[in-house]
């Protein structure tokens, strides 16, 4: 049996192989971008918690240590691994006069590890920086 050159025989298999590769790449891209979005949301939540804990402290040194401890605990329990983690706390408006509302801000910078996702372009780390603020009770006792 002779197959003519213009035959479509076997073309469905080739199309299926190409289509399967494209679908797999699309699925990996969705997983990769979902992972980045989850990490961004987790870092935002950790910054909110850190700012809130810092605003409840009585002194600026307690505020900074509380914020760092809270950020480490929040990120550690979420399953997001940061290659480097930096927590900066701004307590300059913490000691406002009684009756004035002061604020405490926490800025978290996390380099999220992406090496476990095998998708070209998403290797290494992604730096996520988030800042959150929390008001200080204007009528709390001052030291």
């Amino acid at each position: 049996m002779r197959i003519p050159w213009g035959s479509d025989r076997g073309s469905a298999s080739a199309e299926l192989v190409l289509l399967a590769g494209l679908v797999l790449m699309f699925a990996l891209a969705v997983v990769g971008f979902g992972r980045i979005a989850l990490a961004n949301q987790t870092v935002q939540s950790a910054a909110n918690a850190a700012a809130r804990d810092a605003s409840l402290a009585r002194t600026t040194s307690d505020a900074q240590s509380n914020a760092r401890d809270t950020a480490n605990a929040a990120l550690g329990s979420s399953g997001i691994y940061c290659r480097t983690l930096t927590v900066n706390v701004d307590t300059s408006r913490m000691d406002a006069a009684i009756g004035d509302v002061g604020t405490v801000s926490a800025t978290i910078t996390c380099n999220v590890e992406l090496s476990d996702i095998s998708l070209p372009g998403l290797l290494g780390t992604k730096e996520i920086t988030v800042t959150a603020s929390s008001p200080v009770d204007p009528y709390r006792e001052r030291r």
Side-chain angles (χ1 to χ4, degrees), residues 43-56 66-67 70-71 74 106 108 132 134:
V43 173
Q44 179 67 53
S45 177
N48 289 338
R52 180 66 184 145
D53 257 7
S55 73
L56 296 174
N66 288 355
T70 300
I108 296 179
S134 182

Side-chain angles (χ1 to χ4, degrees), residues 48-133:
N48 289 338
R52 180 66 184 145
D53 257 7
S55 73
L56 296 174
R58 298 284 182 202
T59 64
T60 57
S61 62
D62 286 345
Q64 292 185 7
S65 66
N66 288 355
R68 286 187 182 91
D69 293 344
T70 300
N72 283 327
L75 290 170
S77 67
S78 70
I80 299 295
Y81 172 71
C82 296
R83 183 177 281 182
T84 58
L85 175 65
T86 306
V87 180
N88 294 320
V89 183
D90 179 12
T91 57
S92 62
R93 299 255 315 129
M94 184 175 178
D95 293 326
I98 293 180
D100 291 338
V101 178
T103 58
V104 175
S105 297
T107 301
I108 296 179
T109 301
C110 173
N111 287 320
V112 179
E113 186 71 40
L114 297 174
S115 63
D116 56 343
I117 300 174
S118 56
L119 183 66
L122 289 179
L123 301 175
T125 62
K126 167 87 171 124
E127 183 177 290
I128 298 173
T129 302
V130 177
T131 301
S133 296

